[in-house]
Amino acid sequence: MSRNQILLGILVLALLALGAIAWYAIGDKPDTPAVAVVNGAAGLPAGYERTLGSPTAPIKMIEYAAPMCPICAAFDMREFPRLKSQYIDTGKVFYIFRVFPIGAPDLAVEGIARCLPSDQYFTFIDTMYRNQDKWDPDGHDIADVRAAIVAMAGRTGMSSDEAARCMDDKTTEQRTLQVAQDATSRFGVNGTPTFIIDGEPVYSGEYPWDLLKDQLDRRLAK
């Protein structure tokens, strides 16, 4: 996890405590009110979680990640395919993906992803990871972040007007912030990616495959 990532995470968490988040490099937005965490995990409506695998799998794994996060993108491209083929698709791991925003563009990306059919959610997130240089202002020279994200949404067939509506949806924004609040209060999450395996935070930052595999295999052997 880079120093900039840590600082961004601290900034977002501070803004969450105030019930607002800056819409930097994209445009002005009204403040977002704080959302109370209810009903355990995050008080989300039924069907809101984005998951892969069987809910009855012996291991439950949560990844808190941010579309802007370069380490999350590296994990998505290098490690996640093996996690999916060897553990998720084989019924060993039930995988839950939750966005933990480290910058305002993460809220925009999640807003668009939530407008897509649920079976296209992970494909879109993967596309955003693989093309961070085209829209992510952290480390890249992006003149108009909002326009860049709209252009990425266009790859799904979404119109510019629809993308703008999805990016600005207050309900999705509140729920994303709610998930982040819960992640911090429940698991102490303060950076991305953070992995929670069977309710235990096991790692935050770059996570080599051999370490993750060892974590999973030791639990399966019990």
Side-chain angles (χ1 to χ4, degrees), residues 52-136:
L52 294 170
S54 170
T56 61
I59 294 176
K60 176 181 177 181
M61 177 177 176
I62 304 170
E63 179 184 357
Y64 286 100
M68 291 176 64
C69 164
I71 299 175
C72 302
F75 178 82
D76 171 77
M77 291 183 278
R78 292 201 303 251
E79 323 297 355
F80 185 76
R82 287 185 283 189
L83 173 66
K84 187 174 185 299
S85 64
Q86 297 180 32
Y87 292 90
I88 298 172
D89 292 346
T90 56
K92 298 174 183 176
V93 167
F94 181 53
Y95 172 83
I96 301 167
F97 180 86
R98 295 174 180 169
V99 167
F100 184 89
I102 60 173
D106 290 320
L107 295 174
V109 172
E110 175 72 346
I112 291 170
R114 289 284 172 177
C115 277
L116 295 169
S118 59
D119 61 356
Q120 295 180 29
Y121 179 89
F122 285 106
T123 299
F124 180 70
I125 294 295
D126 177 69
T127 296
M128 299 304 281
Y129 277 146
R130 292 175 184 274
N131 292 276
Q132 284 180 336
D133 62 322
K134 295 180 175 62
W135 66 270
D136 182 354

